């Protein structure tokens, strides 16, 4: 399956993406994680991306599309992938369509995670990430680690993302509404969008997502 996950910052895209990718046996491709890995490795791309990310803005399309394309062309993604955080504007969605056309493949679904704005701010303010692995994500209230500041899975140090500060979150939300939301209509025109509520327990949302993807698949048969 080839899936795009879309939703505002704090909708739980990363958390759900890890679970869905495991269930569907496809790689989870997060452009945010790829940028953060570049920042940790202090690459040129990382240095460039950091200035945009810290301000809550989108990294320029040219480098983002090249990075996403490179990742999608790796061998583990031949039979499918779950895109998390890409595309994030219509130009990126068009570039993805071009790439898929060249490869003669199609997207199966665009899963749209809906969450009220006040919930988004609460979720982001409490979010903590593991320094060792981007996929180990906690929340100080909703999914707290057993020991404060320590990852339950690998013992790594937990930290708050630089761009999770309140000011940056406001910019990221604004960017989401003006630049990313239009891709939902773009994909609706292709009949690909399944919208689900991202409220409730993590397990419940995963189940809702899998049901929606299955429903979509059944309708196509
Ligand atoms: P995320 O981890 O998906 O919340 O992304 C964190 C930040 O990385 C975003 O606020 C952007 O600055 C940058 N970013 C991630 N994906 C993209 C993308 N597709 N296009 C442009 N910037 C991106």
């Amino acid at each position: 399956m080839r899936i795009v996950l879309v939703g505002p910052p704090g909708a739980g895209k990363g958390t759900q993406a890890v679970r869905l990718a495991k269930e569907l046996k496809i790689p989870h491709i997060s452009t945010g994680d790829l940028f953060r890995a570049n920042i940790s490795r202090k690459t040129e791309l990382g240095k460039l991306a950091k200035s945009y990310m810290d301000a809550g803005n989108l990294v320029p399309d040219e480098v983002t599309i090249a990075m996403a394309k490179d990742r999608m062309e790796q061998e583990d993604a031949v039979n499918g992938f779950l895109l998390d955080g890409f595309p994030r504007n219509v130009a990126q969605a068009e570039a993805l369509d071009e790439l898929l056309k060249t490869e003669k493949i199609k997207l199966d679904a665009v899963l749209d995670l809906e969450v009220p704005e006040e919930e988004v701010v609460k979720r982001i303010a409490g979010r903590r990430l593991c320094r060792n692995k981007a996929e180990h994500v906690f929340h100080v209230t909703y999914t707290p680690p057993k020991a404060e500041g320590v990852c339950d899975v690998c013992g790594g140090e937990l930290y708050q993302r630089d761009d999770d500060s309140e000011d940056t979150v406001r910019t990221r939300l604004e960017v989401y509404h003006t630049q990313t939301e239009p891709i939902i209509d773009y994909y609706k025109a292709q009949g690909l969008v399944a919208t689900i509520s991202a409220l409730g327990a993590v397990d419940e949302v995963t189940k809702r997502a899998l049901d929606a993807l299955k429903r979509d698949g059944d309708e196509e048969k």
Side-chain angles (χ1 to χ4, degrees), residues 31-32 35-36 52-53 57-59 64 85-86 88 92 161 163 172:
T31 40
F35 283 133
R36 281 184 288 277
Y52 292 93
M53 290 169 78
N57 291 318
L58 296 187
V59 179
T64 303
F86 181 88
R88 239 178 170 100
Q92 292 181 10
R161 275 169 49 171
D163 61 346
R172 286 164 63 202

Side-chain angles (χ1 to χ4, degrees), residues 16-59:
Q16 292 302 328
V18 172
R19 301 164 73 100
L20 294 172
K22 195 168 164 205
E23 186 69 32
L24 300 167
K25 298 183 177 60
I26 48 178
H28 164 212
I29 300 180
S30 156
T31 40
D33 286 349
L34 292 172
F35 283 133
R36 281 184 288 277
N38 272 278
I39 293 173
S40 299
R41 295 201 309 271
K42 300 192 166 48
T43 65
E44 283 306 310
L45 175 61
K47 275 182 221 159
L48 173 90
K50 186 165 170 44
S51 57
Y52 292 93
M53 290 169 78
D54 284 353
N57 291 318
L58 296 187
V59 179

Side-chain angles (χ1 to χ4, degrees), residues 48-184:
L48 173 90
K50 186 165 170 44
S51 57
Y52 292 93
M53 290 169 78
D54 284 353
N57 291 318
L58 296 187
V59 179
D61 286 344
E62 202 182 313
V63 288
T64 303
I65 292 166
M67 180 183 74
K69 179 171 181 289
D70 188 59
R71 179 63 189 89
M72 278 185 277
E73 285 173 350
Q74 284 172 28
E75 216 178 299
D76 64 337
V78 168
N79 293 319
F81 47 71
L82 179 67
L83 294 178
D84 160 14
F86 181 88
R88 239 178 170 100
N89 60 25
V90 172
Q92 292 181 10
E94 286 170 351
L96 176 61
D97 271 351
E98 275 303 306
L99 176 69
L100 296 172
K101 212 159 88 190
T102 316
E103 306 277 332
K104 298 193 173 55
I105 50 181
K106 282 196 165 128
L107 286 179
D108 294 289
V110 174
L111 194 62
D112 167 29
L113 298 185
E114 261 189 350
V115 60
E117 201 129 319
E118 62 274 15
E119 177 67 16
V120 158
V121 178
K122 273 194 240 161
R123 286 186 181 194
I124 293 185
R127 177 155 70 182
R128 299 293 181 270
L129 268 69
C130 174
R131 291 231 183 256
N132 291 343
K133 198 143 197 229
E135 295 181 350
H136 303 163
V137 183
F138 298 84
H139 187 284
V140 290
T141 321
Y142 303 141
T143 49
K146 291 196 186 84
E148 200 186 315
V150 182
C151 175
D152 284 359
V153 189
C154 69
E157 184 199 353
L158 298 182
Y159 75 103
Q160 184 169 29
R161 275 169 49 171
D162 287 346
D163 61 346
D164 276 352
S165 69
E166 203 174 319
D167 271 0
T168 313
V169 169
R170 292 202 193 290
T171 310
R172 286 164 63 202
L173 275 169
E174 170 85 24
V175 167
Y176 178 75
H177 291 313
T178 54
Q179 302 193 47
T180 308
E181 249 172 12
I183 72 169
I184 297 176

